[in-house]
Amino acid sequence: MTGYTDGYGRQRPSFGAPMKGLLQNNAVLKWLTIINVGLWLMVAFANLSLWLYKSQSPNLLVTWLSVPADLTALAHRPWSAVTYMILHERFWHLFFNMWMLWFGGMIFTRFLSGRQLAWTYGLGGLMGAIFFVAAYNIFPVFETMKYSAVALGASASVLAILVAAATYKPDYGLRLFLFGQLKFKWLAIIFVVIDLLSISAENPGGHIAHLGGALFGFVYGLLLRKDFTLKGLFARKPRGPKMEYTPYEEIHDEPQVPRSDEEYNQQKAEKERDVDAILDKIAKSGYGSLTPEEKEFLFKNSR
């Protein structure tokens, strides 16, 4: 349990522990799976009720939560660009996506955080929706289909996670049944090529959405290799030249003494050594092996 120790050595819970727990590596995978399975059960019971009462009406859950290709319909339910990525109607569609989510997600969280996994799932799925809608409104072959076409399923999000992990660690070795030893990048390439070649076959919109998720995963994986953080996008940039100084904090009763160049360089070197030690630990034992204090230190000093 995350928390702090009082003066008597007893562990006390932190108020931020529940929210942090949701973003831990395995917790994110568990919650994504629970949400997908829970919504599928709701859809399945709704379909059963329609069948029992011989209703010819469509399942409203599927209608309102799947993303439509038609722009007018999308304007009436814009939330569907998000909800479609947790919506499944067929069991085997759900089963395969959840299996791939655990497979790719467990590898992803060997090197990256649960927070980054959640971002990849959400933004990869959103990119898939953009690709799906754009394709049906750009290419003439879909002209007659776009008014009835909808997309649903976690496939784009799952492929984004798989490709992001493979881009971040392309030479990570996998031992697969019948295939033997295989580098992770080749598995991701195989999935992308299959989707690319399947566009003209059954379910073209779904395969196009998958490619959108894969593209996001590839770009995000490259950015993560350069220590990119999404939080950095919203950070305020300085308007002019920045001078090194120690700020006066309101919480201090007395002003702080500015640091000399030698002191500043020494503190910077110590921080870099600590960050390198934590990164070595992640490389050997995975992100999950870090203590809460190490995770917080790495987060504060890698922004």
Side-chain angles (χ1 to χ4, degrees), residues 49-288:
S49 298
L50 292 172
W51 180 79
L52 289 172
Y53 287 98
K54 294 185 177 181
S55 174
Q56 301 300 316
S57 302
N59 189 325
L60 291 180
L61 273 174
V62 176
T63 300
W64 284 94
L65 299 182
S66 57
V67 61
D70 179 42
L71 292 175
T72 302
L74 180 60
H76 284 89
R77 47 182 194 271
W79 60 83
S80 62
V82 175
T83 56
Y84 94 98
M85 68 183 75
I86 55 173
L87 176 67
H88 299 81
E89 195 169 16
R90 293 179 289 111
F91 171 76
W92 289 112
H93 188 200
L94 171 78
F95 178 84
F96 182 76
N97 276 342
M98 294 303 97
W99 185 83
M100 290 301 298
L101 173 63
W102 272 95
F103 173 76
M106 291 300 288
I107 297 175
F108 187 103
T109 52
R110 275 181 168 268
F111 311 105
L112 299 164
S113 69
R115 187 186 300 271
Q116 290 165 324
L117 177 71
W119 277 115
T120 307
Y121 186 98
L123 295 180
L126 185 60
M127 182 64 75
I130 292 172
F131 265 52
F132 168 74
V133 175
Y136 270 78
N137 286 275
I138 292 174
F139 298 115
V141 70
F142 300 124
E143 181 64 31
T144 59
M145 308 179 212
K146 72 177 182 180
Y147 299 105
S148 59
V150 295
L152 66 156
S155 301
S157 299
V158 170
L159 195 57
I161 290 172
L162 193 74
V163 172
T167 304
Y168 186 78
K169 284 290 182 182
D171 295 324
Y172 181 76
L174 298 172
R175 184 171 294 278
L176 302 176
F177 180 66
L178 297 179
F179 293 95
Q181 194 73 17
L182 184 69
K183 289 184 178 179
F184 196 18
K185 63 182 178 183
W186 293 116
L187 182 63
I189 290 172
I190 289 170
F191 277 113
V192 171
V193 170
I194 289 174
D195 276 313
L196 191 61
L197 296 178
S198 301
I199 291 177
S200 60
E202 186 182 359
N203 188 26
H207 294 295
I208 290 172
H210 300 175
L211 294 175
L215 177 62
F216 174 82
F218 176 70
V219 174
Y220 190 41
L222 288 178
L223 292 173
L224 288 173
R225 291 175 65 175
K226 300 180 182 295
D227 299 324
F228 168 83
T229 60
L230 287 168
K231 189 173 181 179
L233 290 176
F234 306 101
R236 242 191 306 186
K237 296 181 179 179
R239 296 183 179 179
K242 185 177 179 181
M243 298 178 63
E244 292 293 342
Y245 66 100
T246 301
Y248 292 98
E249 301 289 350
E250 295 181 357
I251 59 173
H252 290 285
D253 295 331
E254 298 180 359
Q256 297 180 359
V257 179
R259 294 171 292 179
S260 66
D261 290 342
E262 183 178 352
E263 291 173 332
Y264 171 78
N265 290 331
Q266 182 179 357
Q267 292 175 3
K268 183 177 179 182
E270 289 175 356
K271 281 186 178 181
E272 289 177 351
R273 283 196 299 270
D274 291 339
V275 169
D276 289 340
I278 294 175
L279 292 176
D280 288 340
K281 185 175 180 180
I282 293 175
K284 294 177 181 177
S285 306
Y287 182 84

